[in-house]
mmCIF file of all heavy atoms in Angstrom:
data_model
loop_
_atom_site.group_PDB
_atom_site.id
_atom_site.type_symbol
_atom_site.label_atom_id
_atom_site.label_comp_id
_atom_site.label_asym_id
_atom_site.label_seq_id
_atom_site.Cartn_x
_atom_site.Cartn_y
_atom_site.Cartn_z
ATOM 1 N N ARG A 16 0.795 -1.164 0.015
ATOM 2 C CA ARG A 16 -0.002 0.006 -0.005
ATOM 3 C C ARG A 16 0.882 1.278 0.011
ATOM 4 O O ARG A 16 0.605 2.186 -0.790
ATOM 5 C CB ARG A 16 -0.933 0.016 1.209
ATOM 6 C CG ARG A 16 -1.954 -1.112 1.164
ATOM 7 C CD ARG A 16 -2.947 -1.009 2.315
ATOM 8 N NE ARG A 16 -3.885 -2.104 2.362
ATOM 9 C CZ ARG A 16 -5.040 -2.078 2.960
ATOM 10 N NH1 ARG A 16 -5.439 -0.996 3.569
ATOM 11 N NH2 ARG A 16 -5.847 -3.122 2.930
ATOM 12 N N LEU A 17 1.847 1.270 0.854
ATOM 13 C CA LEU A 17 2.744 2.430 0.928
ATOM 14 C C LEU A 17 3.601 2.563 -0.327
ATOM 15 O O LEU A 17 3.723 3.617 -0.909
ATOM 16 C CB LEU A 17 3.623 2.374 2.186
ATOM 17 C CG LEU A 17 4.530 3.552 2.415
ATOM 18 C CD1 LEU A 17 3.761 4.787 2.717
ATOM 19 C CD2 LEU A 17 5.485 3.225 3.611
ATOM 20 N N GLY A 18 4.208 1.440 -0.722
ATOM 21 C CA GLY A 18 5.102 1.469 -1.861
ATOM 22 C C GLY A 18 4.393 1.794 -3.150
ATOM 23 O O GLY A 18 4.899 2.416 -4.071
ATOM 24 N N GLY A 19 3.123 1.234 -3.266
ATOM 25 C CA GLY A 19 2.371 1.523 -4.472
ATOM 26 C C GLY A 19 2.132 3.029 -4.680
ATOM 27 O O GLY A 19 2.146 3.525 -5.755
ATOM 28 N N GLY A 20 1.811 3.677 -3.565
ATOM 29 C CA GLY A 20 1.620 5.115 -3.626
ATOM 30 C C GLY A 20 2.860 5.878 -4.006
ATOM 31 O O GLY A 20 2.828 6.767 -4.867
ATOM 32 N N ILE A 21 3.998 5.468 -3.387
ATOM 33 C CA ILE A 21 5.254 6.177 -3.723
ATOM 34 C C ILE A 21 5.656 5.911 -5.131
ATOM 35 O O ILE A 21 6.019 6.846 -5.864
ATOM 36 C CB ILE A 21 6.380 5.664 -2.736
ATOM 37 C CG1 ILE A 21 6.001 6.000 -1.267
ATOM 38 C CG2 ILE A 21 7.725 6.247 -3.102
ATOM 39 C CD1 ILE A 21 6.922 5.384 -0.240
ATOM 40 N N LEU A 22 5.615 4.647 -5.554
ATOM 41 C CA LEU A 22 6.129 4.297 -6.906
ATOM 42 C C LEU A 22 5.314 4.945 -7.997
ATOM 43 O O LEU A 22 5.830 5.522 -8.989
ATOM 44 C CB LEU A 22 6.093 2.797 -7.059
ATOM 45 C CG LEU A 22 6.926 2.173 -8.223
ATOM 46 C CD1 LEU A 22 8.393 2.439 -8.002
ATOM 47 C CD2 LEU A 22 6.614 0.680 -8.329
ATOM 48 N N SER A 23 3.936 4.852 -7.862
ATOM 49 C CA SER A 23 3.099 5.364 -8.863
ATOM 50 C C SER A 23 3.204 6.925 -8.961
ATOM 51 O O SER A 23 3.116 7.547 -9.975
ATOM 52 C CB SER A 23 1.628 4.999 -8.601
ATOM 53 O OG SER A 23 1.175 5.585 -7.393
ATOM 54 N N GLU A 24 3.369 7.538 -7.770
ATOM 55 C CA GLU A 24 3.506 8.992 -7.746
ATOM 56 C C GLU A 24 4.827 9.466 -8.432
ATOM 57 O O GLU A 24 4.835 10.467 -9.169
ATOM 58 C CB GLU A 24 3.509 9.518 -6.252
ATOM 59 C CG GLU A 24 3.418 11.000 -6.144
ATOM 60 C CD GLU A 24 2.015 11.504 -6.384
ATOM 61 O OE1 GLU A 24 1.057 10.656 -6.466
ATOM 62 O OE2 GLU A 24 1.836 12.754 -6.499
ATOM 63 N N TYR A 25 5.904 8.701 -8.245
ATOM 64 C CA TYR A 25 7.156 9.051 -8.866
ATOM 65 C C TYR A 25 7.109 8.953 -10.419
ATOM 66 O O TYR A 25 7.471 9.887 -11.096
ATOM 67 C CB TYR A 25 8.317 8.163 -8.338
ATOM 68 C CG TYR A 25 9.610 8.326 -9.078
ATOM 69 C CD1 TYR A 25 10.421 9.425 -8.766
ATOM 70 C CD2 TYR A 25 10.013 7.481 -10.059
ATOM 71 C CE1 TYR A 25 11.649 9.659 -9.477
ATOM 72 C CE2 TYR A 25 11.177 7.622 -10.719
ATOM 73 C CZ TYR A 25 11.998 8.701 -10.410
ATOM 74 O OH TYR A 25 13.213 8.884 -11.104
ATOM 75 N N PHE A 26 6.585 7.824 -10.876
ATOM 76 C CA PHE A 26 6.586 7.629 -12.331
ATOM 77 C C PHE A 26 5.526 8.424 -13.031
ATOM 78 O O PHE A 26 5.629 8.748 -14.217
ATOM 79 C CB PHE A 26 6.416 6.123 -12.643
ATOM 80 C CG PHE A 26 7.671 5.369 -12.527
ATOM 81 C CD1 PHE A 26 7.965 4.661 -11.361
ATOM 82 C CD2 PHE A 26 8.639 5.352 -13.540
ATOM 83 C CE1 PHE A 26 9.168 3.950 -11.194
ATOM 84 C CE2 PHE A 26 9.791 4.700 -13.465
ATOM 85 C CZ PHE A 26 10.080 3.931 -12.319
ATOM 86 N N VAL A 27 4.410 8.775 -12.372
ATOM 87 C CA VAL A 27 3.392 9.579 -13.011
ATOM 88 C C VAL A 27 3.909 10.999 -13.131
ATOM 89 O O VAL A 27 3.514 11.714 -14.108
ATOM 90 C CB VAL A 27 2.076 9.551 -12.207
ATOM 91 C CG1 VAL A 27 2.124 10.463 -11.019
ATOM 92 C CG2 VAL A 27 0.909 9.901 -13.107
ATOM 93 N N ARG A 28 4.790 11.459 -12.289
ATOM 94 C CA ARG A 28 5.351 12.813 -12.366
ATOM 95 C C ARG A 28 6.480 12.870 -13.328
ATOM 96 O O ARG A 28 6.631 13.835 -14.058
ATOM 97 C CB ARG A 28 5.731 13.339 -10.964
ATOM 98 C CG ARG A 28 4.546 13.611 -10.088
ATOM 99 C CD ARG A 28 5.041 14.041 -8.684
ATOM 100 N NE ARG A 28 3.919 14.397 -7.835
ATOM 101 C CZ ARG A 28 3.385 15.570 -7.795
ATOM 102 N NH1 ARG A 28 3.854 16.568 -8.509
ATOM 103 N NH2 ARG A 28 2.377 15.879 -6.991
ATOM 104 N N SER A 29 7.334 11.867 -13.310
ATOM 105 C CA SER A 29 8.573 11.908 -14.121
ATOM 106 C C SER A 29 8.345 11.409 -15.544
ATOM 107 O O SER A 29 8.978 11.960 -16.453
ATOM 108 C CB SER A 29 9.678 11.061 -13.451
ATOM 109 O OG SER A 29 9.282 9.751 -13.371
ATOM 110 N N LYS A 30 7.431 10.437 -15.725
ATOM 111 C CA LYS A 30 7.258 9.821 -17.029
ATOM 112 C C LYS A 30 5.843 9.863 -17.516
ATOM 113 O O LYS A 30 5.507 9.403 -18.603
ATOM 114 C CB LYS A 30 7.692 8.358 -17.013
ATOM 115 C CG LYS A 30 9.133 8.138 -16.530
ATOM 116 C CD LYS A 30 10.169 8.663 -17.494
ATOM 117 C CE LYS A 30 11.557 8.355 -17.014
ATOM 118 N NZ LYS A 30 12.588 8.880 -17.892
ATOM 119 N N THR A 31 4.948 10.490 -16.761
ATOM 120 C CA THR A 31 3.446 10.498 -17.015
ATOM 121 C C THR A 31 2.928 9.099 -17.301
ATOM 122 O O THR A 31 2.067 8.889 -18.151
ATOM 123 C CB THR A 31 3.109 11.462 -18.170
ATOM 124 O OG1 THR A 31 3.695 10.989 -19.394
ATOM 125 C CG2 THR A 31 3.542 12.870 -17.898
ATOM 126 N N ILE A 32 3.476 8.110 -16.616
ATOM 127 C CA ILE A 32 3.032 6.709 -16.771
ATOM 128 C C ILE A 32 1.789 6.520 -15.927
ATOM 129 O O ILE A 32 1.790 6.801 -14.703
ATOM 130 C CB ILE A 32 4.100 5.749 -16.353
ATOM 131 C CG1 ILE A 32 5.311 5.813 -17.274
ATOM 132 C CG2 ILE A 32 3.505 4.291 -16.322
ATOM 133 C CD1 ILE A 32 6.466 4.920 -16.903
ATOM 134 N N PRO A 33 0.667 6.080 -16.469
ATOM 135 C CA PRO A 33 -0.580 5.914 -15.701
ATOM 136 C C PRO A 33 -0.335 4.984 -14.508
ATOM 137 O O PRO A 33 0.373 3.995 -14.619
ATOM 138 C CB PRO A 33 -1.515 5.308 -16.677
ATOM 139 C CG PRO A 33 -1.009 5.780 -18.020
ATOM 140 C CD PRO A 33 0.432 5.769 -17.914
ATOM 141 N N ARG A 34 -0.972 5.273 -13.388
ATOM 142 C CA ARG A 34 -0.803 4.481 -12.222
ATOM 143 C C ARG A 34 -1.244 3.005 -12.405
ATOM 144 O O ARG A 34 -0.737 2.078 -11.842
ATOM 145 C CB ARG A 34 -1.613 5.068 -11.060
ATOM 146 C CG ARG A 34 -1.223 6.519 -10.677
ATOM 147 C CD ARG A 34 -2.026 6.973 -9.498
ATOM 148 N NE ARG A 34 -1.891 8.429 -9.324
ATOM 149 C CZ ARG A 34 -0.962 9.029 -8.652
ATOM 150 N NH1 ARG A 34 0.002 8.322 -8.056
ATOM 151 N NH2 ARG A 34 -0.931 10.324 -8.546
ATOM 152 N N THR A 35 -2.252 2.812 -13.264
ATOM 153 C CA THR A 35 -2.823 1.450 -13.439
ATOM 154 C C THR A 35 -1.845 0.461 -14.075
ATOM 155 O O THR A 35 -2.075 -0.713 -14.026
ATOM 156 C CB THR A 35 -4.061 1.571 -14.296
ATOM 157 O OG1 THR A 35 -3.770 2.317 -15.493
ATOM 158 C CG2 THR A 35 -5.186 2.199 -13.585
ATOM 159 N N ILE A 36 -0.732 0.993 -14.604
ATOM 160 C CA ILE A 36 0.272 0.060 -15.139
ATOM 161 C C ILE A 36 0.850 -0.795 -14.043
ATOM 162 O O ILE A 36 1.279 -1.962 -14.243
ATOM 163 C CB ILE A 36 1.387 0.793 -15.899
ATOM 164 C CG1 ILE A 36 2.180 -0.157 -16.807
ATOM 165 C CG2 ILE A 36 2.326 1.505 -14.932
ATOM 166 C CD1 ILE A 36 1.306 -0.671 -17.981
ATOM 167 N N TRP A 37 0.858 -0.289 -12.790
ATOM 168 C CA TRP A 37 1.381 -0.998 -11.655
ATOM 169 C C TRP A 37 0.386 -2.075 -11.216
ATOM 170 O O TRP A 37 0.775 -3.138 -10.629
ATOM 171 C CB TRP A 37 1.777 -0.079 -10.531
ATOM 172 C CG TRP A 37 2.747 0.936 -10.997
ATOM 173 C CD1 TRP A 37 2.557 2.276 -11.197
ATOM 174 C CD2 TRP A 37 4.099 0.734 -11.363
ATOM 175 N NE1 TRP A 37 3.685 2.919 -11.682
ATOM 176 C CE2 TRP A 37 4.647 1.957 -11.772
ATOM 177 C CE3 TRP A 37 4.932 -0.432 -11.380
ATOM 178 C CZ2 TRP A 37 6.004 2.065 -12.224
ATOM 179 C CZ3 TRP A 37 6.209 -0.320 -11.817
ATOM 180 C CH2 TRP A 37 6.768 0.927 -12.237
ATOM 181 N N MET A 38 -0.873 -1.864 -11.477
ATOM 182 C CA MET A 38 -1.853 -2.919 -11.202
ATOM 183 C C MET A 38 -1.675 -4.082 -12.231
ATOM 184 O O MET A 38 -1.798 -5.280 -11.833
ATOM 185 C CB MET A 38 -3.275 -2.375 -11.342
ATOM 186 C CG MET A 38 -3.597 -1.279 -10.394
ATOM 187 S SD MET A 38 -5.311 -0.597 -10.524
ATOM 188 C CE MET A 38 -6.217 -1.804 -9.574
ATOM 189 N N ALA A 39 -1.248 -3.714 -13.443
ATOM 190 C CA ALA A 39 -0.949 -4.757 -14.406
ATOM 191 C C ALA A 39 0.301 -5.556 -14.010
ATOM 192 O O ALA A 39 0.278 -6.780 -14.115
ATOM 193 C CB ALA A 39 -0.748 -4.122 -15.789
ATOM 194 N N CYS A 40 1.330 -4.867 -13.562
ATOM 195 C CA CYS A 40 2.576 -5.521 -13.162
ATOM 196 C C CYS A 40 2.328 -6.467 -11.968
ATOM 197 O O CYS A 40 2.787 -7.615 -11.963
ATOM 198 C CB CYS A 40 3.669 -4.528 -12.834
ATOM 199 S SG CYS A 40 4.228 -3.507 -14.230
ATOM 200 N N THR A 41 1.617 -5.957 -10.947
ATOM 201 C CA THR A 41 1.399 -6.757 -9.776
ATOM 202 C C THR A 41 0.482 -7.960 -10.041
ATOM 203 O O THR A 41 0.663 -9.045 -9.477
ATOM 204 C CB THR A 41 0.829 -5.909 -8.601
ATOM 205 O OG1 THR A 41 -0.320 -5.207 -9.085
ATOM 206 C CG2 THR A 41 1.864 -4.940 -8.125
ATOM 207 N N GLN A 42 -0.507 -7.748 -10.910
ATOM 208 C CA GLN A 42 -1.360 -8.903 -11.221
ATOM 209 C C GLN A 42 -0.636 -9.921 -12.054
ATOM 210 O O GLN A 42 -0.968 -11.160 -11.976
ATOM 211 C CB GLN A 42 -2.635 -8.409 -11.925
ATOM 212 C CG GLN A 42 -3.569 -7.635 -10.988
ATOM 213 C CD GLN A 42 -4.938 -7.397 -11.587
ATOM 214 O OE1 GLN A 42 -5.410 -8.181 -12.455
ATOM 215 N NE2 GLN A 42 -5.663 -6.418 -11.037
ATOM 216 N N PHE A 43 0.336 -9.543 -12.857
ATOM 217 C CA PHE A 43 1.183 -10.538 -13.555
ATOM 218 C C PHE A 43 2.050 -11.315 -12.523
ATOM 219 O O PHE A 43 2.142 -12.544 -12.640
ATOM 220 C CB PHE A 43 2.093 -9.839 -14.515
ATOM 221 C CG PHE A 43 3.017 -10.733 -15.262
ATOM 222 C CD1 PHE A 43 2.534 -11.560 -16.312
ATOM 223 C CD2 PHE A 43 4.314 -10.888 -14.861
ATOM 224 C CE1 PHE A 43 3.396 -12.421 -16.956
ATOM 225 C CE2 PHE A 43 5.183 -11.768 -15.533
ATOM 226 C CZ PHE A 43 4.698 -12.529 -16.603
ATOM 227 N N ILE A 44 2.539 -10.636 -11.503
ATOM 228 C CA ILE A 44 3.306 -11.318 -10.445
ATOM 229 C C ILE A 44 2.320 -12.234 -9.690
ATOM 230 O O ILE A 44 2.763 -13.339 -9.261
ATOM 231 C CB ILE A 44 3.912 -10.320 -9.494
ATOM 232 C CG1 ILE A 44 4.953 -9.489 -10.275
ATOM 233 C CG2 ILE A 44 4.575 -10.967 -8.295
ATOM 234 C CD1 ILE A 44 5.539 -8.337 -9.437
ATOM 235 N N MET A 45 1.094 -11.842 -9.499
ATOM 236 C CA MET A 45 0.120 -12.642 -8.786
ATOM 237 C C MET A 45 -0.189 -13.956 -9.520
ATOM 238 O O MET A 45 -0.492 -15.000 -8.933
ATOM 239 C CB MET A 45 -1.214 -11.892 -8.584
ATOM 240 C CG MET A 45 -1.046 -10.767 -7.535
ATOM 241 S SD MET A 45 -2.502 -9.620 -7.465
ATOM 242 C CE MET A 45 -3.675 -10.605 -6.553
ATOM 243 N N ILE A 46 -0.027 -13.961 -10.806
ATOM 244 C CA ILE A 46 -0.177 -15.204 -11.576
ATOM 245 C C ILE A 46 0.894 -16.218 -11.119
ATOM 246 O O ILE A 46 0.612 -17.356 -10.863
ATOM 247 C CB ILE A 46 0.034 -14.963 -13.096
ATOM 248 C CG1 ILE A 46 -1.097 -14.052 -13.598
ATOM 249 C CG2 ILE A 46 -0.044 -16.278 -13.874
ATOM 250 C CD1 ILE A 46 -0.951 -13.598 -15.065
ATOM 251 N N ILE A 47 2.121 -15.733 -11.020
ATOM 252 C CA ILE A 47 3.260 -16.569 -10.579
ATOM 253 C C ILE A 47 3.018 -17.041 -9.137
ATOM 254 O O ILE A 47 3.269 -18.219 -8.807
ATOM 255 C CB ILE A 47 4.608 -15.803 -10.721
ATOM 256 C CG1 ILE A 47 4.808 -15.435 -12.156
ATOM 257 C CG2 ILE A 47 5.748 -16.664 -10.176
ATOM 258 C CD1 ILE A 47 6.022 -14.570 -12.381
ATOM 259 N N VAL A 48 2.546 -16.133 -8.319
ATOM 260 C CA VAL A 48 2.284 -16.400 -6.882
ATOM 261 C C VAL A 48 1.228 -17.589 -6.743
ATOM 262 O O VAL A 48 1.435 -18.499 -6.013
ATOM 263 C CB VAL A 48 1.804 -15.166 -6.141
ATOM 264 C CG1 VAL A 48 1.350 -15.524 -4.754
ATOM 265 C CG2 VAL A 48 2.991 -14.163 -6.038
ATOM 266 N N TYR A 49 0.121 -17.442 -7.492
ATOM 267 C CA TYR A 49 -0.863 -18.466 -7.400
ATOM 268 C C TYR A 49 -0.394 -19.844 -7.923
ATOM 269 O O TYR A 49 -0.827 -20.877 -7.421
ATOM 270 C CB TYR A 49 -2.145 -18.033 -8.154
ATOM 271 C CG TYR A 49 -2.845 -16.851 -7.524
ATOM 272 C CD1 TYR A 49 -3.344 -15.789 -8.275
ATOM 273 C CD2 TYR A 49 -2.976 -16.784 -6.130
ATOM 274 C CE1 TYR A 49 -3.983 -14.719 -7.626
ATOM 275 C CE2 TYR A 49 -3.634 -15.685 -5.507
ATOM 276 C CZ TYR A 49 -4.098 -14.653 -6.279
ATOM 277 O OH TYR A 49 -4.730 -13.630 -5.694
ATOM 278 N N LEU A 50 0.479 -19.797 -8.949
ATOM 279 C CA LEU A 50 1.074 -21.081 -9.407
ATOM 280 C C LEU A 50 1.937 -21.660 -8.320
ATOM 281 O O LEU A 50 2.051 -22.867 -8.173
ATOM 282 C CB LEU A 50 1.833 -20.812 -10.718
ATOM 283 C CG LEU A 50 0.949 -20.422 -11.893
ATOM 284 C CD1 LEU A 50 1.826 -20.156 -13.120
ATOM 285 C CD2 LEU A 50 -0.084 -21.494 -12.174
ATOM 286 N N LEU A 51 2.610 -20.802 -7.567
ATOM 287 C CA LEU A 51 3.477 -21.316 -6.471
ATOM 288 C C LEU A 51 2.598 -21.941 -5.397
ATOM 289 O O LEU A 51 2.939 -22.984 -4.830
ATOM 290 C CB LEU A 51 4.310 -20.168 -5.881
ATOM 291 C CG LEU A 51 5.541 -19.687 -6.632
ATOM 292 C CD1 LEU A 51 6.182 -18.500 -5.938
ATOM 293 C CD2 LEU A 51 6.556 -20.845 -6.768
ATOM 294 N N PHE A 52 1.469 -21.213 -5.050
ATOM 295 C CA PHE A 52 0.557 -21.822 -4.082
ATOM 296 C C PHE A 52 0.020 -23.178 -4.537
ATOM 297 O O PHE A 52 -0.052 -24.135 -3.792
ATOM 298 C CB PHE A 52 -0.639 -20.859 -3.811
ATOM 299 C CG PHE A 52 -0.368 -19.783 -2.839
ATOM 300 C CD1 PHE A 52 -0.386 -18.416 -3.159
ATOM 301 C CD2 PHE A 52 -0.121 -20.143 -1.494
ATOM 302 C CE1 PHE A 52 -0.207 -17.464 -2.268
ATOM 303 C CE2 PHE A 52 0.109 -19.139 -0.549
ATOM 304 C CZ PHE A 52 0.088 -17.792 -0.947
ATOM 305 N N ALA A 53 -0.330 -23.216 -5.842
ATOM 306 C CA ALA A 53 -0.896 -24.502 -6.360
ATOM 307 C C ALA A 53 0.125 -25.637 -6.357
ATOM 308 O O ALA A 53 -0.231 -26.760 -6.176
ATOM 309 C CB ALA A 53 -1.424 -24.216 -7.786
#
């Protein structure tokens, strides 16, 4: 929660990268995580 706010704030200001791209990145990681659980 804290890191998501910091990271998205930095890149949205420096590169105008939409915050939702980090939701895409983390959900891709969650695919790997769920496969580890399985």
Side-chain angles (χ1 to χ4, degrees):
R16 295 185 182 203
L17 183 66
I21 297 173
L22 196 66
S23 66
E24 191 75 12
Y25 172 77
F26 280 97
V27 80
R28 288 177 177 272
S29 61
K30 305 292 184 180
T31 65
I32 296 177
R34 300 183 194 273
T35 49
I36 198 67
W37 302 109
M38 299 179 83
C40 293
T41 51
Q42 290 193 22
F43 179 78
I44 296 174
M45 290 169 77
I46 298 174
I47 302 173
V48 169
Y49 292 138
L50 294 178
L51 283 176
F52 275 118

